[in-house]
Amino acid sequence: MLRKSISGSKYSAGQKTDSFGCPFDKLYKDQSLQGADISFFRKGTRENRIEQVVTPASDRGFAIGISTLAGHTRRIFHEHHSTTHAFEENSLYIRNLAEPYRADLIGAFDMLLLEISPASLRKIAEEADFSGVAMLDAETASIDPVLANLVRALIPALERPEEASKLFVDQLATAIGTHLVQRYGGKIQPPLSRSRKLSRAHEALAKNLLLENLDGDISILDVSRACNLSRGYFIRAFRETTGVTPYQWLLNERIMRARELLKGSEAPLSEVAIACGFADQSHFTRVFTNVVGTTPGHWRRNA
């Protein structure tokens, strides 16, 4: 299962700010998660003002931030002037970390942050058939509901990393990366749409690998490599072949197996949960209820 970084653990003992320049003592929310070629963070503060957030120029790549709340304002200092930007709910910024950054943050915020290295951006672009994309267009306080909804889907994984499916996080990271290069990667001619399906051998291999890892603790890269395909191609081909994404297919299989165990045995819910790849009984109950519409116990009594 994926693990959340403990606040401050990835930095030196004497360091007082995180990698985005925000003081640790001002953050009440500090979560992180690693996906396919993208690092995800959630940063939140209740402070009304944080002055002089500074990050020096670096070769780390690009930072993308999505505001989950309205009411946050940034005064960004440029070489000879400053600009002020009001962030609404789901508004975003894209920043090239090769450029130094200095800003005053005004108002409480809850930000979902992404960091993509230059090498990862090129890899994402190639897998999305947008070879040649090496930069993302700068944005400040603009609205992108598609990106916001994709990134928001990772909030449960950030909050409960012990329950997070690596397959789900990687799959979502691939979708997020593809959207970023398509929308913000410059005026690159989009590829021609064409049908992509897995061969019967690749479909069987992929499904067997997924079933061998019911808890989802296998990466999209592992499965796509076994099929000798890129991640982006594999996800699209799997969806065109089966009608669902790899994660959704595996989730359906887990629920189907759970139903069989609930109906055909007297095993406790905790044992059914582990047998079907869930972290524990509470995790199983949440997912089962969300998919089926009723709790496992209630479903068993009426089966």
Side-chain angles (χ1 to χ4, degrees):
M1 289 296 176
L2 297 168
R3 299 184 183 276
K4 176 179 68 175
S5 299
I6 302 299
S7 176
S9 63
K10 60 193 289 187
Y11 310 106
S12 62
Q15 195 165 347
K16 297 180 180 180
T17 63
D18 66 7
S19 61
F20 298 98
C22 198
F24 282 125
D25 61 359
K26 304 293 185 183
L27 295 174
Y28 80 95
K29 193 181 294 291
D30 187 12
Q31 302 164 336
S32 63
L33 201 63
Q34 183 62 44
D37 295 314
I38 303 177
S39 298
F40 297 97
F41 306 87
R42 190 178 185 185
K43 307 281 185 177
T45 181
R46 297 187 178 97
E47 298 288 329
N48 189 51
R49 186 180 185 89
I50 301 177
E51 295 185 2
Q52 293 302 289
V53 169
V54 177
T55 52
S58 72
D59 60 358
R60 286 161 44 200
F62 299 87
I64 300 95
I66 297 95
S67 178
T68 68
L69 302 172
H72 170 59
T73 301
R74 294 191 174 210
R75 184 185 182 195
I76 302 173
F77 297 92
H78 309 280
E79 186 174 2
H80 299 297
H81 69 288
S82 65
T83 55
T84 300
H85 307 270
F87 283 77
E88 301 298 326
E89 183 178 359
N90 292 336
S91 58
L92 65 93
Y93 69 78
I94 298 178
R95 184 159 64 87
N96 188 343
L97 296 173
E99 301 172 0
Y101 184 79
R102 185 164 61 97
D104 289 344
L105 311 186
I106 304 164
F109 64 79
D110 184 353
M111 299 289 291
L112 296 166
L113 300 166
L114 292 65
E115 186 174 321
I116 305 175
S117 72
S120 293
L121 181 62
R122 288 192 293 271
K123 184 176 180 182
I124 291 168
E126 289 172 3
E127 292 191 346
D129 292 335
F130 277 76
S131 296
V133 173
M135 300 282 291
L136 294 177
D137 297 335
E139 297 280 340
T140 306
S142 57
I143 301 290
D144 184 345
V146 173
L147 181 61
N149 287 332
L150 284 171
V151 180
R152 277 178 177 273
L154 282 169
I155 289 177
L158 283 160
E159 293 180 340
R160 292 189 293 270
E162 69 281 357
E163 296 179 4
S165 161
K166 187 175 183 181
L167 185 70
F168 171 72
V169 174
D170 278 1
Q171 181 179 294
L172 200 53
T174 301
I176 290 168
T178 299
H179 177 77
L180 285 169
V181 298
Q182 287 178 340
R183 178 157 180 174
Y184 303 105
K187 305 302 181 183
I188 303 293
Q189 184 67 28
L192 294 175
S193 178
R194 59 185 184 275
S195 176
R196 302 178 180 189
K197 288 191 175 182
L198 295 174
S199 67
R200 290 185 178 180
H202 281 163
E203 181 183 358
L205 175 60
K207 288 179 176 179
N208 285 336
L209 284 172
L210 293 173
L211 288 174
E212 289 171 4
N213 294 271
L214 266 186
D215 59 0
D217 196 24
I218 184 172
S219 71
I220 286 288
L221 183 60
D222 292 334
V223 184
S224 62
R225 276 180 174 171
C227 297
N228 199 29
L229 300 170
S230 72
R231 276 180 306 212
Y233 186 100
F234 169 74
I235 291 173
R236 291 191 294 273
F238 190 97
R239 185 170 57 237
E240 288 199 23
T241 303
T242 66
V244 292
T245 64
Y247 173 74
Q248 189 62 53
W249 184 87
L250 183 59
L251 183 60
N252 291 339
E253 291 294 315
R254 294 162 77 185
I255 295 298
M256 186 182 303
R257 182 170 297 189
R259 282 171 159 169
E260 292 173 354
L261 290 174
L262 290 170
K263 188 174 182 179
S265 76
E266 297 297 325
L269 294 182
S270 59
E271 292 183 10
V272 174
I274 299 303
C276 296
F278 296 96
D280 51 35
Q281 183 176 331
S282 63
H283 181 211
F284 170 50
T285 299
R286 281 195 298 274
V287 175
F288 189 95
T289 303
N290 185 54
V291 174
V292 180
T294 187
T295 64
H298 187 270
W299 188 91
R300 169 181 264 174
R301 288 191 295 272
N302 290 277

